[in-house]
Amino acid sequence: MNSNSQSANAETYSHRLADIVGTAIALLTLTLPVFVIGHFSSNNTQNNQQPLTYTLPKGEK
């Protein structure tokens, strides 16, 4: 009887560990892309700004 209770505790521990690892993976999957996109998009918008100038052709009179 004693060995059965020990295996049940081991299974409970492994299930709890799997829940913690799964939760950590889910949180990283949801939050990491947001931070990466926010970090790189803020750098790209500052570097890629170009002045908008147009040369208008002179009309003949």
Side-chain angles (χ1 to χ4, degrees), residues 34-49:
V34 173
F35 288 119
V36 170
I37 290 169
H39 175 72
F40 286 112
S41 68
S42 65
N43 289 340
N44 289 339
T45 55
Q46 292 173 358
N47 293 336
N48 291 336
Q49 290 179 350

Side-chain angles (χ1 to χ4, degrees), residues 6-22:
Q6 288 177 352
S7 66
N9 287 338
E11 288 180 18
T12 303
Y13 175 75
S14 65
H15 285 293
R16 181 175 290 167
L17 182 62
D19 288 341
I20 292 170
V21 171

